[in-house]
Amino acid sequence: MADTEREAMEYDVVIVGAGPAGLSAAIRLKQLDADLNVVVLEKGSEVGAHILSGAVLDPCGLDALIPDWKEKGAPVTIPVKEDNFYMLGEAGQVRIPNFPMPPLMNNHGNYIVSMGNVCRWMAEQAEALGVEVFPGMACSELVYGENGEVKGVVAGEFGISADGTKGDSYEPGMELLGKYVFLGEGVRGSLSKEVIAKYDLSAGKEPQKFGLGMKEIWEIDPAKHKEGTVTHTMGWPLGSKAGGGSFIYHLDNNQVYVGFVVHLGYKNPYVFPYMEFQQFKHHPMVAELLKGGKRVAYGARAITEGGYQSMPKMVAPGVALLGCSVGMVNVPRIKGNHNAMLSGKAAAEAAYDAINADRSGDELTAYEDDVRGGAIGKDLKKVRNVKPLWSKYGLTASLALGGFDMWCNTLGFSLMGTLKHGKSDADATEPADQHKEISYPKPDGKLSFDRLTNVAFSFTNHEESQPAHLKLKNPSIPVERNLPVYAGPSARYCPAGVYEFVTEDGKDPRFVINFQNCVHCKTCDIKDPSQNINWTTPQGGDGPNYPNM
């Protein structure tokens, strides 16, 4: 709130987000200079509470940051033993052999992990070095300096009433000021979005592209469990409706991660990503694996998929964007955590050099140069055409053309140059009258579940007396435009059942936002065809409480 007086605390570097990028930056800063004052602010109730990832981890980021991570007890202990790719049809599957795939697709040397637990361990390493890590501290505003530079954030504001006024228990929060501010908020972070817009950091870049990743943890029959097995599938049930695919990772304790990704560039507004995921589990191969097991957790998050050509400029005066705030996921590998770690390390080194040179509040151009010219840029450049090929030509053609292009890039050249993405995911949505409605099977309560039942397994919670953190730019658009033109897609694209159109007693429909259900995936901010929904942070600690995601 603009009229609020706040106390201020000063640091050398203020880091927003205790994910792999932010924590890597904090650790590296203290490795370089133990006397630097570094703070990490995390909106989740604890470190890891909002972390959701597949995840098969390429350990190169950890190797660079903490070479003795094994000796220090990192929860990275399940090496990949078997790597399977399948093309699914409704009743069967065809194994895609591994030998024609480019070397970068090989998971040998990678590990199946819970990134939430990896981040919890990284936070312990950071605190042991003297980093201040504060969970439950949502950063709601940026603080700007006299010359327009980012100089800090507002964190820890609590007690705003539903009408936006200060309630009886109002706490103004604090200004945390730094010589540099790092934004490691993850995909489509609210502060990162503000910085990208204010400094026009996406100028000359392709639109960012996204996927929606949904994940369940299952405990299965020990006789079916194969620790270290990694399986990816494509094809059914998505078919030509949308790009995407699945992952099934066998970790320890007879548990498997079962996940499904739907690319958000789909045209048909009747596509229901969550129900595609639930239908997938009824494929004979998957159903046999899960039969007799039980689901123990659920969650969802958006994934940045634009890659090399969609990465915005990463620095502006006083601020740097890290990891998924930029978009560093290698789409065909379905991996981005290693690049997030490397980006945090690179930003820390650039800030350390700048502070040593008595600089502050300027652009850390050395960080951007490191990312684009170093290991991250090389990783992403090799696969830059896979996503646009998939979007334009569909699954089958993209497998052949994308594989060919990745092989060429592995050898140091590309016959395709750098392909464009074209439309944003919001603009890709077409009017409902150009498409047929899709009928989805009803969940059976054993393998598949309705959204609200599953959301309970995300352990999400929001204080109901606060204002909704999902803001409508124009409250009339959902009913007056999105419902008649696009058949109300927010009722389907949200994996948590936040949005619904309610008709009572013959009255006109009204748009309802059940913000308490929100799992912070940001899909609404991305896919809404009118770009009318703005995702902002609720008060600190609110949201999902993922156990081992």
Side-chain angles (χ1 to χ4, degrees), residues 218-221 289-295 446:
W218 279 73
E219 290 180 1
I220 65 168
D221 181 347
L289 176 70
L290 300 181
K291 184 179 178 182
K294 65 176 182 178
R295 160 222 42 186
K446 297 176 182 177

Side-chain angles (χ1 to χ4, degrees), residues 240-273:
S240 61
K241 296 194 290 287
S246 83
F247 59 87
I248 301 173
Y249 304 153
H250 291 243
L251 56 157
D252 53 1
N253 299 321
N254 299 315
Q255 290 192 333
V256 293
Y257 294 147
V258 182
F260 201 81
V261 177
V262 177
H263 300 171
L264 290 176
Y266 58 81
K267 299 176 182 179
N268 184 347
Y270 290 114
V271 168
F272 197 155

Side-chain angles (χ1 to χ4, degrees), residues 436-466:
K436 291 183 179 180
E437 193 167 352
I438 301 169
S439 177
Y440 290 97
K442 186 178 179 180
D444 69 353
K446 297 176 182 177
L447 291 178
S448 51
F449 312 96
D450 66 77
R451 276 185 298 186
L452 295 187
T453 299
N454 234 1
V455 166
F457 285 80
S458 70
F459 312 104
T460 195
N461 182 62
H462 293 83
E463 171 56 54
E464 295 188 21
S465 64
Q466 68 185 303

Side-chain angles (χ1 to χ4, degrees), residues 20 50-58 78 80 107 111-119 212-218 229-232 245-252 255-261 277 297-303 324 329-330 333-338 546 548-549:
H50 291 180
I51 297 293
L52 186 146
S53 185
V56 171
L57 178 68
D58 180 338
I78 305 166
V80 175
N107 273 312
Y111 293 81
I112 300 170
V113 301
S114 157
M115 278 310 298
N117 290 338
V118 171
C119 288
L212 169 59
M214 296 157 285
K215 176 181 173 182
E216 295 171 356
I217 303 177
W218 279 73
T229 297
V230 165
T231 299
H232 293 105
S246 83
F247 59 87
I248 301 173
Y249 304 153
H250 291 243
L251 56 157
D252 53 1
Q255 290 192 333
V256 293
Y257 294 147
V258 182
F260 201 81
V261 177
F277 175 31
Y298 166 74
R301 61 161 286 187
I303 305 164
C324 282
V329 171
N330 183 314
R333 294 185 76 200
I334 324 178
K335 290 179 181 62
N337 290 305
H338 62 298
Y546 295 137
N548 301 300
M549 283 295 195

Side-chain angles (χ1 to χ4, degrees), residues 47-71:
V47 173
H50 291 180
I51 297 293
L52 186 146
S53 185
V56 171
L57 178 68
D58 180 338
C60 65
L62 266 184
D63 290 340
L65 184 70
I66 308 174
D68 58 346
W69 54 266
K70 287 185 181 179
E71 290 76 11

Side-chain angles (χ1 to χ4, degrees), residues 332-387:
R333 294 185 76 200
I334 324 178
K335 290 179 181 62
N337 290 305
H338 62 298
N339 286 336
M341 292 179 181
L342 292 173
S343 77
K345 178 175 178 288
E349 290 167 355
Y352 166 75
D353 288 343
I355 292 168
N356 263 7
D358 211 20
R359 290 162 40 205
S360 66
D362 60 343
E363 294 191 3
L364 292 172
T365 54
Y367 163 58
E368 177 131 11
D369 293 344
D370 190 323
V371 169
R372 294 192 188 274
I376 298 171
K378 291 173 183 173
D379 184 46
L380 297 179
K381 192 171 184 179
K382 289 178 184 176
V383 301
R384 66 192 182 279
N385 292 325
V386 173
K387 171 69 175 178

Side-chain angles (χ1 to χ4, degrees), residues 75 85 410 452 470:
F85 295 86
T410 299
L452 295 187
L470 302 153

